[in-house]
Amino acid sequence: MLSKKDTQYAIDQMGELFPEAECELTHSNPFELLIAVVLSAQCTDALVNKVTPKLFAKYKTPEDYVQVPLEELQEDIRSIGLYRNKAKNIKKLSQSLLEHFDGQVPREREQLESLAGVGRKTANVVTSVAFGEPAIAVDTHVERVSKRLGICRWKDNVRQVEETLMKKIKKEDWSDAHHRLIFFGRYHCKAQAPKCPTCPLLDMCREGKKRMKKSMVEA
DNA sequence: AACTCGGGGCA
DNA sequence: TGCCCAGAGTT
């Protein structure tokens, strides 16, 4: 397992590599962000950003989503995939906001998680990006990078990965670290073809060194 | 823990 | 073509 110091160093290096790392979902308020993040499950931000301009022009409030027929909302987001469930969740979620939160997006992670289509990952993104609360959202990229580098253990579950990251990273860096880990995972430490040969973290990366050794043998 | 939803991107 | 993707809910 990587030490706290090495972990912070790794996060810093990711920042050097991707200084632009931040949430890429287009939104102009917490409610729009919530909708965008719910839509982004299992698809790219670019895809979500293709439908949100029209979507946010048409739907401004939770009431708008509650009132629209399900089939119409499904058609509006058809191109992003998983659209049937996502449309149902957005209608349910909007209803809950009206019933329990006075139509406002709650700040607390636990309250966010009570909403349809919002799990721990989505709740963490919303609370940190929309409200600036410290949180580390663990998605497949964050999990993969953390395990390859040895920040956490290979057999850790998502919850354990999150706890370890929070323990090893200074609280004020959580939000930045979250996005750096994601950019690093998406563009550099990719699932299929990680760029180990040009990686600034190769020296401290167990998985990277293993892969380099393997590629030497195969060559 | 495994399964399902799903169109788009990429090799 | 086949495989994977900024996940969550159900069984």
Side-chain angles (χ1 to χ4, degrees):
Chain A
M1 292 259 279
L2 237 52
S3 69
K4 202 168 167 179
K5 188 181 167 191
D6 284 347
T7 300
Q8 302 251 8
Y9 173 79
I11 301 294
D12 285 345
Q13 288 300 304
M14 292 175 199
E16 297 285 322
L17 227 45
F18 301 102
E20 75 283 16
E22 60 180 7
C23 180
E24 291 183 310
L25 293 169
T26 56
H27 64 280
S28 52
N29 57 58
F31 182 58
E32 287 187 358
L33 176 68
L34 175 61
I35 300 296
V37 182
V38 167
L39 290 178
S40 77
Q42 291 299 98
C43 74
T44 62
D45 288 355
L47 199 54
V48 175
N49 288 340
K50 278 202 278 188
V51 304
T52 45
K54 271 191 291 181
L55 198 68
F56 295 158
K58 180 172 176 182
Y59 306 93
K60 301 288 188 188
T61 66
E63 286 91 339
D64 295 336
Y65 289 107
V66 169
Q67 285 165 11
V68 71
L70 177 61
E71 295 73 19
E72 187 176 338
L73 182 54
Q74 288 175 331
E75 197 55 38
D76 288 336
I77 63 171
R78 171 179 282 283
S79 63
I80 67 170
L82 301 179
Y83 61 93
R84 280 184 274 258
N85 282 337
K86 286 176 182 177
K88 286 181 194 169
N89 286 336
I90 286 172
K91 282 181 68 68
K92 269 197 236 175
L93 158 172
S94 299
Q95 184 66 43
S96 299
L97 288 182
L98 295 176
E99 282 181 16
H100 306 297
F101 302 107
D102 197 28
Q104 300 297 112
V105 179
R107 294 176 75 104
E108 304 298 326
R109 208 204 59 225
E110 198 170 313
Q111 295 175 324
L112 286 164
E113 273 190 279
S114 73
L115 301 171
V118 179
R120 194 179 183 84
K121 185 257 172 183
T122 298
N124 278 337
V125 172
V126 172
T127 198
S128 67
V129 174
F131 300 117
E133 300 285 347
I136 299 178
V138 177
D139 56 39
T140 56
H141 292 312
V142 174
E143 182 173 356
R144 182 181 64 255
V145 169
S146 299
K147 290 183 176 182
R148 281 181 176 169
L149 270 173
I151 294 174
C152 65
R153 301 177 211 279
W154 271 109
K155 51 184 174 182
D156 283 350
N157 59 32
V158 179
R159 183 63 177 275
Q160 292 171 311
V161 175
E162 184 182 325
E163 284 172 2
T164 305
L165 285 168
M166 290 192 297
K167 212 176 295 178
K168 293 190 174 181
I169 299 170
K170 285 182 289 187
K171 197 167 186 175
E172 61 265 33
D173 295 335
W174 285 0
S175 295
D176 282 340
H178 156 225
H179 289 111
R180 291 176 183 183
L181 284 161
I182 287 168
F183 272 64
F184 184 69
R186 194 195 318 166
Y187 299 118
H188 193 94
C189 192
K190 298 189 284 189
Q192 267 64 20
K195 303 180 177 180
C196 301
T198 63
C199 186
L201 301 175
L202 184 58
D203 282 344
M204 67 168 65
C205 181
R206 219 173 23 185
E207 177 69 13
K209 282 185 277 194
K210 195 191 296 180
R211 282 171 181 266
M212 292 302 285
K213 194 178 291 181
K214 192 179 172 191
S215 67
M216 289 290 284
V217 173
E218 287 172 355

